[in-house]
Amino acid sequence: MNSKQPTAAPPDAPANPVQALLEAPLSLRERKKLKTRQTIRREAYRLITEQGYENTTVEQIAAAAEVSPSTFFRYFATKEDLVLTDEYDPVVLDTLLARPADEPFLQSCRESMIGLIRDLLQHERQELLIRMRLVTEVPALRAGLSRSSSSPQELYLAALTRRAGVEEPTLDMRITAAAIGAATTEAVLQWAESDGVEDIVTLVDHTFAVLASGFAGV
Amino acid sequence: MNSKQPTAAPPDAPANPVQALLEAPLSLRERKKLKTRQTIRREAYRLITEQGYENTTVEQIAAAAEVSPSTFFRYFATKEDLVLTDEYDPVVLDTLLARPADEPFLQSCRESMIGLIRDLLQHERQELLIRMRLVTEVPALRAGLSRSSSSPQELYLAALTRRAGVEEPTLDMRITAAAIGAATTEAVLQWAESDGVEDIVTLVDHTFAVLASGFAGV
DNA sequence: CTGTCAAATGACAGTAACTCTCAAAAGATG
DNA sequence: CATCTTTTGAGAGTTACTGTCATTTGACAG
């Protein structure tokens, strides 16, 4: 369900998953861990926006966050993960799976994606923009975007597989997940490149329209 | 035109681009460079299939190819590039651009892709299979697949942009290129995962069918 | 409050992919 | 043969990341 809470979670989860984590009754240890993670990321973003991604070393970030480099790597497997992972991934999967099973998958993706974006824009628009801008500008990050369980591809594929109730995804599912994932990523990148000026919901909407058209327009 | 020949190339190019390079009247220097590149790659593949990708160091590869590590990096910018780049990319772009301009782009992609695959199967099926299998098995490679000018994404985007005769690609083009590129990649990966047993042309055909359907089937 | 256990941390050593610089070697050219 | 340019190798340096082990710190029972 949620990587932060392997044990059964209360069913009455609040709307914002990040707030939910902070509000939940956590042990001192858990609170400290969460705080450390936030501190590392905050300091990292500060340094990176000041001096650039490549010019910022893990050592610097660790020092700024007042932890050892060892600890940094316990919280983020790689330097890229600082930018490329977030706490929303499991939420996306959940909302996707919550859609009616007979709804066309493309539409499920559209609804869940737009809902997610609305939420993100409200709660952490600025951070999202910084991160996505970084992704567009730093080649290493752009390359790493499609990696890991954080990618839309993987999430969509997981949703499709579970929805069909099978173990191994079929080629159809892989194609679908890959195409939709890659396309929506482009929409978000375009939004970031416009510095958030363009309306992201419109962009995403347009993306799904193109996907649904079978690329007849080009 | 062609990264190997920035100057004007003769219009009567042979079918196989790699052969074409070898047959072309090259200076001693050019021939040596080509040979060095081939040797590095061959030795690399040998070592990698023997001991695995992660367990094979650049130093070992360089030693086996009898060049210095410095030279290795002059031929391949990264270790990943050994597996992820090939000499066919400019050819794909050329064949794509050679399709009639009024043909639907999806169909152009299909035709050019199938033509390319037929060619590859004839000339270097075994190597292609090894490479794609590596990509499916080594996380670092799978991650790097979408990077660099070698990715189908970039090629399709370049084709779309040139075909439209514009400088900057539109969002529509980006979406289209991303979706088609990601989808066809899945088809090839599926082929590699089946150890080349499944018919790749059928797989690719199927992929384009799904794309053209607007994902109505799922 | 105290002792005990488990989890988190830091210090440290090591590996390997790259980068940069510079001098030597080898092909191109007249 | 002489000169110019390209290619190469040697070596030093940086940095992301891994693994180990001793120390610290929070959890918890008595």
Side-chain angles (χ1 to χ4, degrees), chain B residues 109-127:
Chain B
C109 292
R110 182 190 169 285
E111 304 303 333
S112 107
M113 177 105 189
I114 287 185
L116 172 72
I117 286 177
R118 289 241 162 80
D119 196 47
L120 276 167
L121 287 185
Q122 271 191 8
H123 293 100
E124 32 188 299
R125 183 177 195 279
Q126 204 50 41
E127 192 183 311

Side-chain angles (χ1 to χ4, degrees), chain B residues 16-101:
Chain B
N16 185 333
V18 176
Q19 278 189 349
L21 282 177
L22 291 176
E23 285 165 10
L26 295 173
S27 67
L28 174 55
R29 243 180 209 169
E30 293 297 316
R31 267 179 285 147
K32 276 194 109 172
K33 262 167 64 175
L34 220 55
K35 214 166 69 178
T36 304
R37 193 185 178 83
Q38 286 179 327
T39 306
I40 293 177
R41 225 203 292 253
R42 191 184 56 241
E43 293 303 310
Y45 280 26
R46 191 176 56 75
L47 288 171
I48 288 174
T49 45
E50 277 174 16
Q51 353 171 330
Y53 179 82
E54 307 284 4
N55 297 329
T56 306
T57 69
V58 170
E59 211 168 345
Q60 288 176 341
I61 297 171
E66 295 183 300
V67 297
S68 71
S70 313
T71 300
F72 174 93
F73 284 109
R74 285 200 187 90
Y75 281 89
F76 299 93
T78 69
K79 186 180 162 190
E80 290 181 6
D81 276 9
L82 271 174
V83 184
L84 294 178
T85 70
D86 63 38
E87 282 68 31
Y88 276 86
D89 304 332
V91 184
V92 182
L93 188 54
D94 283 351
T95 58
L96 253 179
L97 289 171
R99 306 288 316 173

Side-chain angles (χ1 to χ4, degrees), chain B residues 130-153:
Chain B
I130 292 176
R131 287 171 54 186
M132 290 302 117
R133 211 149 28 180
L134 269 176
V135 170
T136 65
E137 285 161 12
V138 180
L141 291 175
R142 188 148 196 167
L145 186 56
S146 59
R147 153 168 41 206
S148 90
S149 65
S150 162
S151 81
Q153 244 105 313

